[in-house]
Amino acid sequence: MGPAAQFSTKDRILGAAEELFALHGFAGTSLRQVTSKADVNIAAVNYHFGSKENLVNEVFRRRMDVMSALRLSQLERALSAHPGQLRPILAAFVEPALAMALDRNGGGAFVRVIARAYAEKNDSLRRFLSDHYGHVLRDFGRAMAACLPDLDKETLYWRLDFLAGALTYAMADFGVIKRPQGVSEAQHRAQAAAELIRFAEAGFHAGGGRPTASPDPSEA
Amino acid sequence: MGPAAQFSTKDRILGAAEELFALHGFAGTSLRQVTSKADVNIAAVNYHFGSKENLVNEVFRRRMDVMSALRLSQLERALSAHPGQLRPILAAFVEPALAMALDRNGGGAFVRVIARAYAEKNDSLRRFLSDHYGHVLRDFGRAMAACLPDLDKETLYWRLDFLAGALTYAMADFGVIKRPQGVSEAQHRAQAAAELIRFAEAGFHAGGGRPTASPDPSEA
DNA sequence: GTCTATAGGCTGATAGAC
DNA sequence: GTCTATCAGCCTATAGAC
């Protein structure tokens, strides 16, 4: 397990799967592509993971555990160092995703895998995410609510969803913004994170009253 | 083509494909599933669409043309009725997506198909979307820039991406917000749209200076 | 743990009768 | 336009040698 240790067959499979899942989706990636890219035998994936579905879950867990831990520890530091301030809480949510996106060791693919997972209405994967990482979102919700005592809970949770959606799409590099020449990938993502924190900070501080629901446009 | 006309084979294929694409993604949906759900022969899809890839494009075009037209006409009305105001422009972007989501005739699946399209790094589909509908986003960018003369263009485009991400995510019903009992699907979505407009309005109006890029968290 | 070989099934697409 | 029949290729998963 030293720093110079070879990547194990299992880790090579995970890394290859992550990259391919990001590129082609879960259904769009075959185990043959994975094992070929990882330079292992086709039978190895079933030996180590049992099934393709289980491989998907393991690809997820490996990075998501890291990102969730980063978020929670940064949240804790934000709450003790800057009590009552929203921006450090937002940063604690956004910046770990940025860190994953910038991770040299293949983490960049992971943020796109997250976006995939959201799109998958896949029951088992979504339950897996909710069961294992739902508490992180709840912790952030509580911390934000303490900063915004006048905001009703429902509006707060809507805004958390908006933040998560915007973050997912920004980090996965969907959207119209193209990275200009001369700007590194890292700078570009860091810019996205900083822009998003500022955008969301203003958004969360928007007036707390319930908005009047728009008239149903399909009736017009 | 009267109102009581039967759905054609072609339309039945499009409708079935749309629902299945929303549920299982493009790669995850087989043409056999499509033709089985549409109750047409397996050969019909190749007769009417030529290939699976072309079917994907046509599923998109059918609704996207409608949504883009709704957005542009509502934008035009916003600009003439409320010149210089940002909120009606935001509404013109958000509410047509809501209208699609609420459309009785299967449009609800379409907003999830959009989310799929974002997640699929699918080159040909992305080019198709950019070529055919990129001008809509550019029109909105111009209209918003006129409302926010102090905002540099790059920040504006970041925020448009955040808006698009949050909208997609909200309309596709990802996220933590669960619809309470006694609230109809339509009310729930309308609430999402109204909340998002308010959130985004505050976000777009956030101070215009370039934010300091956060230090790279992966170095910490 | 890693390999070869293969089972058994599904895929997109097409040829050709009607 | 719609059907049946079929192609060639790919898929996941497993059995069994080493």
Side-chain angles (χ1 to χ4, degrees):
Chain A
M1 269 273 269
Q6 299 280 20
F7 286 111
S8 67
T9 293
K10 205 169 169 177
D11 282 336
R12 290 215 311 283
I13 292 173
L14 283 170
E18 185 173 69
E19 281 188 53
L20 290 166
F21 288 162
L23 277 172
H24 310 118
F26 305 121
T29 300
S30 70
L31 295 183
R32 282 175 152 77
Q33 290 173 282
V34 172
T35 53
S36 162
K37 187 181 182 82
D39 202 33
V40 302
N41 189 271
I42 171 69
V45 63
N46 263 273
Y47 176 78
H48 287 286
F49 298 96
S51 70
K52 183 179 179 177
E53 181 178 330
N54 195 249
L55 173 61
V56 170
N57 286 348
E58 291 302 315
V59 164
F60 236 92
R61 187 206 307 273
R62 183 175 66 152
R63 305 277 184 187
M64 200 73 174
D65 285 352
V66 173
M67 189 169 79
S68 294
L70 279 174
R71 278 179 163 163
L72 289 176
S73 68
Q74 193 168 341
L75 175 62
E76 203 173 349
R77 272 180 282 135
L79 291 178
S80 65
H82 310 283
Q85 285 183 41
L86 180 64
R87 176 184 270 261
I89 297 175
L90 291 171
F93 189 78
V94 169
E95 285 169 2
L98 170 68
M100 299 304 291
L102 297 181
D103 178 15
R104 283 280 186 288
N105 204 1
F110 175 66
V111 294
R112 259 169 280 131
V113 174
I114 293 180
R116 294 273 181 189
Y118 278 121
E120 301 279 331
K121 202 73 182 176
N122 184 325
D123 344 289
S124 88
L125 181 56
R126 282 173 71 82
R127 191 164 42 251
F128 175 84
L129 289 175
S130 169
D131 287 352
H132 288 75
Y133 308 106
H135 67 100
V136 177
L137 220 53
R138 284 192 290 276
D139 283 0
F140 274 89
R142 262 193 299 276
M144 288 170 174
C147 290
L148 302 163
D150 294 338
L151 204 63
D152 66 277
K153 290 282 189 300
E154 200 188 341
T155 296
L156 173 68
Y157 273 95
W158 278 117
R159 291 177 183 182
L160 247 177
D161 273 354
F162 300 150
L163 173 63
L167 175 62
T168 301
Y169 282 76
M171 287 297 132
D173 201 19
F174 306 147
V176 296
I177 291 277
K178 292 282 163 267
R179 176 160 57 93
Q181 287 196 325
V183 174
S184 75
E185 169 80 9
Q187 286 172 317
H188 188 66
R189 297 296 174 94
Q191 174 85 6
E195 292 278 5
L196 177 56
I197 289 169
R198 197 163 49 128
F199 179 80
E201 186 184 24
F204 271 87
H205 276 119
R210 288 290 268 316
T212 309
S214 301
D216 183 344
S218 68
E219 304 291 328
Chain B
M1 270 273 269
Q6 300 279 21
F7 287 112
S8 68
T9 294
K10 206 169 167 176
D11 281 335
R12 290 215 310 284
I13 292 173
L14 284 171
E18 185 174 68
E19 283 187 53
L20 289 167
F21 288 162
L23 276 173
H24 310 119
F26 305 117
T29 300
S30 71
L31 294 184
R32 285 174 151 80
Q33 289 175 280
V34 171
T35 54
S36 163
K37 187 182 183 83
D39 202 31
V40 302
N41 189 272
I42 170 71
V45 63
N46 264 273
Y47 176 78
H48 286 286
F49 298 95
S51 69
K52 182 179 181 178
E53 180 179 325
N54 196 248
L55 173 61
V56 170
N57 286 349
E58 290 303 314
V59 163
F60 244 90
R61 188 205 306 272
R62 181 174 67 152
R63 308 273 185 192
M64 200 73 174
D65 285 352
V66 174
M67 189 169 81
S68 294
L70 279 175
R71 277 179 166 164
L72 289 176
S73 69
Q74 192 167 342
L75 175 62
E76 204 174 347
R77 273 182 281 136
L79 291 178
S80 65
H82 309 283
Q85 285 183 40
L86 180 63
R87 176 183 269 261
I89 298 174
L90 292 171
F93 190 78
V94 169
E95 285 169 2
L98 171 68
M100 299 304 293
L102 297 180
D103 177 18
R104 284 278 187 292
N105 204 0
F110 178 64
V111 295
R112 261 169 280 132
V113 175
I114 294 180
R116 290 280 181 184
Y118 275 119
E120 305 269 339
K121 200 76 182 175
N122 186 326
D123 343 286
S124 89
L125 180 57
R126 281 172 72 81
R127 192 163 43 250
F128 175 85
L129 289 174
S130 169
D131 287 352
H132 288 74
Y133 308 103
H135 67 99
V136 177
L137 221 54
R138 285 190 291 275
D139 283 0
F140 273 88
R142 262 194 299 275
M144 288 171 174
C147 290
L148 303 163
D150 293 338
L151 204 63
D152 65 278
K153 289 283 189 300
E154 199 188 342
T155 295
L156 174 68
Y157 273 95
W158 277 116
R159 292 178 183 182
L160 248 177
D161 272 354
F162 300 150
L163 173 63
L167 175 62
T168 302
Y169 192 92
M171 286 298 131
D173 201 20
F174 306 150
V176 297
I177 291 276
K178 293 282 162 267
R179 175 160 58 91
Q181 288 196 325
V183 174
S184 76
E185 170 80 10
Q187 286 173 317
H188 187 66
R189 297 293 173 96
Q191 174 84 6
E195 293 278 6
L196 177 56
I197 289 169
R198 197 163 49 128
F199 179 80
E201 187 184 23
F204 271 87
H205 277 120
R210 287 292 267 317
T212 309
S214 301
D216 181 345
S218 68
E219 304 291 327

